[in-house]
């Protein structure tokens, strides 16, 4: 079955990353999920590196909150927490919310 690629862990990891990224999950969450399944990081890291995570974070934000960037600080924090929950890093969140947003201050 391995010769026919019917059972292929690398392909599974690739499809898992693509599927969950399309659903709006970020690399932190996907990495954690695959690690919890017992998969070696060498199998899924190439698939994670192939994605454009800042663009995915922006798409996820736009799907949930609309195209307009938030102007109020409270709304920026709310959207930031949503993206963090979905598994995006602070760098991805910063890019998705605009250049003037810095969650560390």
């Amino acid at each position: 079955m391995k010769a026919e690629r019917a059972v292929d862990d690398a392909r599974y990891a690739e499809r898992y990353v693509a599927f969950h990224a399309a659903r709006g999950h970020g690399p932190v969450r996907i990495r954690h999920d695959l690690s919890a399944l017992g998969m070696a990081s060498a199998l899924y890291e190439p698939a994670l590196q192939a994605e454009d995570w800042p663009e995915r974070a922006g798409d996820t934000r736009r799907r949930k909150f609309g195209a307009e960037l938030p102007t109020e600080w409270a709304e920026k924090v709310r959207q930031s927490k949503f993206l963090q929950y979905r598994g995006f890093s602070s760098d991805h969140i910063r890019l998705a919310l605009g250049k003037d947003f810095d969650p560390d201050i």
Side-chain angles (χ1 to χ4, degrees):
M1 290 186 85
K2 278 192 173 196
E4 295 175 15
R5 288 191 67 179
V7 177
D8 187 354
D9 289 342
R11 190 177 77 173
Y12 174 79
E14 183 180 301
R15 296 306 315 143
Y16 189 96
V17 169
F19 177 77
H20 286 277
R23 293 190 69 204
H25 297 167
V28 175
R29 182 173 179 172
I30 294 171
R31 186 177 287 118
H32 179 268
D33 291 346
L34 287 171
S35 177
L37 290 172
M39 187 169 286
S41 66
L43 295 173
Y44 58 79
E45 282 302 325
L48 286 172
Q49 298 302 322
E51 290 289 334
D52 183 8
W53 294 112
E55 182 64 30
R56 290 282 188 182
D59 290 345
T60 302
R61 191 204 65 77
R62 283 187 291 279
R63 278 198 317 254
K64 175 74 173 176
F65 300 105
E68 191 73 27
L69 286 173
T71 56
E72 300 288 322
W73 180 253
E75 183 61 20
K76 287 181 182 183
V77 169
R78 185 170 85 96
Q79 291 184 21
S80 164
K81 289 192 180 288
F82 170 76
L83 291 172
Q84 184 180 21
Y85 167 76
R86 298 294 284 196
F88 292 98
S89 71
S90 60
D91 292 335
H92 303 145
I93 294 169
R94 190 174 295 117
L95 291 171
L97 291 175
K99 297 182 188 334
D100 63 335
F101 180 69
D102 189 1
D104 298 329
I105 57 173

